[in-house]
Amino acid sequence: MKLHTSTVHGVITAIEDIFKNNRYADKVIERTLRSNPKWGARDRGFIAESVYDMVRWWKLINKVSPSDNTFHLFGTYWLLQGNELPDWKEFKGIDSKMVEHRFNKIQDRPTLQSIPEWLDEMGESLLGEMWDSEIEMLNTQADVVLRVNTLKISREDLMNRLAEEGVETYAPKGYKDALVLGKRQNIFKNSAFKAGMFEVQDASSQLVAQALEVEPGMRVIDACAGAGGKSLHLAALMENKGRILSMDIEGWKLQNAKLRARRAGVSIIEPRVIEGNKTIKRLKESADRLLLDVPCTGLGVLRRNPDTKWKISPDSVAKVQEIQQEIIQNYSGMLKPGGIMVYATCSILPSENQDQVAKFLASEKGKAFELIEDQKVLAQESGFDGFYIAKLKKKA
């Protein structure tokens, strides 16, 4: 593949913004692609994929590169992909044989899998022999998965409609509302998306709403709703009958949920900002179903957000675990006796998952609950994101 100066400069600018200014990769890529309207679909695809790949393999690239000059780092990445470098002045000083020699000498997993050493140690201590295959899988590119909005169209009809427009998809087994794109593309421009017929949502993430066992007419609280993806899924499962309180401490995220609900034809979602404990106390024992999709390290979704591994630290992992326990302790009171609560994370670490549930169940407030079942979804087994989903029942 031939390199073009304009798109390579786009990659370089984005990489420097991510690592020198500590910005989030997805936002930087979005901004970079908006900066040059002349780039076509292929150019934009090249920039996005190159940036994500460089972020994913950042430690390895730095180890093998002749210097920390960003052009040298890009050139090294390009060679590691099995490509040849053009004769540009920016790539002077890069010897392909030396890059290959340095790469072949590396044997330690943290460098080969491009992860911080503390994270490698933590992963191995918590997941044992599963860690090796899991981190390898989490370093691959994720599929684009759609969640069919069954309020507007069936999965089969959407599959056929997309096929007519040249978008091939397949229906993965065990995920009743999911379609996987055969080829990566910008699906947000598709007319079916604009008509609210689907959302982009990983297949593992789609298991969360299903675990709540909602029915039409129920009162449901999604207490860490964010931009409302799971609230929308719940609304479809409830046939847009009943009431869903979509709550979050960040009001701006809920604004996005409102727009998405309008597009999806959902009218039962009521966004509500959590302004402190009094918001929670007012809703004591008011919900038939309660979803706690708690903040987490995001280690299960490294395929989508590879920069996460460079942003988290042992301190931030410990801090998020404190927040998780606070949420399950304080928010669980909103559930009616006899109701079902789901505790979910997009993490693969037991310390954020089953350990948190066990700690809650052993506490005073947890005595009112029993664990029905839990799902530990690993990327290496499912082929999708890593997730944890625990279903608990409040004793009547």
Side-chain angles (χ1 to χ4, degrees):
M1 182 182 169
K2 190 182 175 188
L3 290 178
H4 300 278
T5 51
S6 162
T7 50
V8 171
H9 274 277
V11 173
I12 298 290
T13 306
I15 284 291
E16 289 180 345
D17 201 12
I18 290 163
F19 286 103
K20 290 181 180 171
N21 300 325
N22 197 29
R23 303 209 196 282
Y24 287 99
D26 58 341
K27 302 291 181 217
V28 169
I29 289 168
E30 215 176 282
R31 210 163 39 243
T32 304
L33 296 180
R34 275 204 308 265
S35 71
N36 191 336
K38 289 181 181 172
W39 285 328
R42 189 178 291 181
D43 296 331
R44 299 160 86 78
F46 166 81
I47 291 167
E49 287 187 25
S50 299
V51 172
Y52 273 128
D53 259 355
M54 284 188 72
V55 170
R56 189 173 282 121
W57 299 108
W58 189 241
K59 183 174 183 173
L60 177 64
I61 294 165
N62 274 271
K63 186 82 171 176
V64 175
S65 174
S67 79
D68 62 1
N69 171 289
T70 317
F71 274 99
H72 278 184
L73 293 167
F74 174 84
T76 301
Y77 153 73
W78 196 242
L79 290 172
L80 289 172
Q81 297 290 307
N83 301 303
E84 288 184 10
L85 281 177
D87 187 22
W88 295 0
K89 67 178 191 303
E90 289 91 346
F91 297 141
K92 289 281 182 285
I94 305 176
D95 181 343
S96 60
K97 287 196 172 133
M98 186 55 74
V99 166
E100 189 180 1
H101 173 69
R102 283 181 176 161
F103 175 72
N104 289 335
K105 274 174 67 179
I106 298 168
Q107 292 187 331
D108 66 296
R109 183 172 56 203
T111 307
L112 274 176
Q113 294 295 348
S114 201
I115 47 173
E117 285 186 24
W118 68 266
L119 181 55
D120 186 55
E121 287 166 16
M122 183 183 282
E124 186 171 40
S125 71
L126 293 173
L127 286 175
E129 58 190 33
M130 304 285 279
W131 174 244
D132 207 33
S133 303
E134 190 66 8
I135 192 59
E136 194 169 328
M137 184 65 173
L138 288 171
N139 268 330
T140 61
Q141 190 181 58
D143 290 322
V144 179
V145 186
L146 314 181
R147 179 186 59 74
V148 181
N149 179 10
T150 51
L151 293 174
K152 292 200 168 191
I153 196 168
S154 71
R155 179 160 76 167
E156 194 178 344
D157 286 349
L158 179 62
M159 195 183 215
N160 293 335
R161 175 174 169 151
L162 292 173
E164 283 168 16
E165 296 178 32
V167 180
E168 293 304 321
T169 60
Y170 72 88
K173 237 181 177 177
Y175 304 88
K176 69 186 184 75
D177 297 329
L179 285 176
V180 183
L181 290 194
K183 192 177 78 176
R184 292 186 77 81
Q185 56 193 281
N186 183 0
I187 199 71
F188 297 112
K189 287 186 173 175
N190 190 280
S191 61
F193 174 75
K194 291 173 182 171
M197 293 177 183
F198 67 83
E199 289 283 339
V200 173
Q201 185 180 1
D202 186 76
S204 296
S205 175
Q206 294 183 35
L207 297 172
V208 176
Q210 285 172 9
L212 262 184
E213 295 180 16
V214 292
E215 292 170 17
M218 279 186 169
R219 183 183 166 96
V220 178
I221 295 178
D222 179 2
C224 309
K230 294 180 184 70
S231 289
L232 291 173
H233 193 189
L234 288 166
L237 293 170
M238 293 163 68
E239 299 169 16
N240 201 31
K241 294 169 188 165
R243 188 180 180 208
I244 298 171
L245 266 187
S246 295
M247 304 172 71
D248 205 277
I249 56 171
E250 309 271 11
W252 62 271
K253 288 182 181 174
L254 295 173
Q255 285 300 321
N256 199 1
K258 266 186 183 175
L259 296 171
R260 293 172 77 185
R262 198 173 302 139
R263 186 177 62 236
V266 169
S267 59
I268 63 168
I269 290 176
E270 181 191 324
R272 187 174 298 184
V273 179
I274 298 170
E275 292 170 340
N277 277 339
K278 63 179 180 187
T279 309
I280 305 301
K281 281 177 182 167
R282 280 195 202 114
L283 294 164
K284 188 181 177 184
E285 296 189 350
S286 65
D288 299 303
R289 298 287 186 267
L290 174 63
L291 173 57
L292 304 180
D293 182 23
V294 297
C296 67
T297 55
L299 286 175
V301 292
L302 281 182
R303 299 168 81 197
R304 290 171 202 292
N305 305 312
D307 52 333
T308 295
K309 59 188 172 183
W310 311 124
K311 294 194 184 302
I312 59 172
S313 66
D315 284 349
S316 69
V317 172
K319 180 67 184 160
V320 84
Q321 288 171 12
E322 281 177 31
I323 293 167
Q324 288 164 350
Q325 194 57 219
E326 277 173 25
I327 288 173
I328 196 170
Q329 289 286 344
N330 296 335
Y331 291 16
S332 55
M334 293 190 287
L335 188 67
K336 290 176 184 175
I340 290 172
M341 172 172 79
V342 163
Y343 171 92
T345 76
C346 56
S347 176
I348 50 172
L349 300 180
S351 56
E352 296 185 76
N353 298 339
Q354 58 265 40
D355 295 358
Q356 291 284 34
V357 172
K359 187 176 178 181
F360 170 68
L361 290 171
S363 72
E364 195 55 41
K365 287 180 181 172
K367 284 176 188 169
F369 289 79
E370 58 185 330
L371 178 65
I372 301 170
E373 62 177 348
D374 67 354
Q375 288 175 272
K376 304 167 190 78
V377 184
L378 291 177
Q380 61 183 295
E381 293 168 349
S382 67
F384 299 110
D385 289 344
F387 256 81
Y388 176 76
I389 304 159
K391 189 193 298 187
L392 300 101
K393 185 165 189 175
K394 193 170 191 177
K395 296 167 189 171

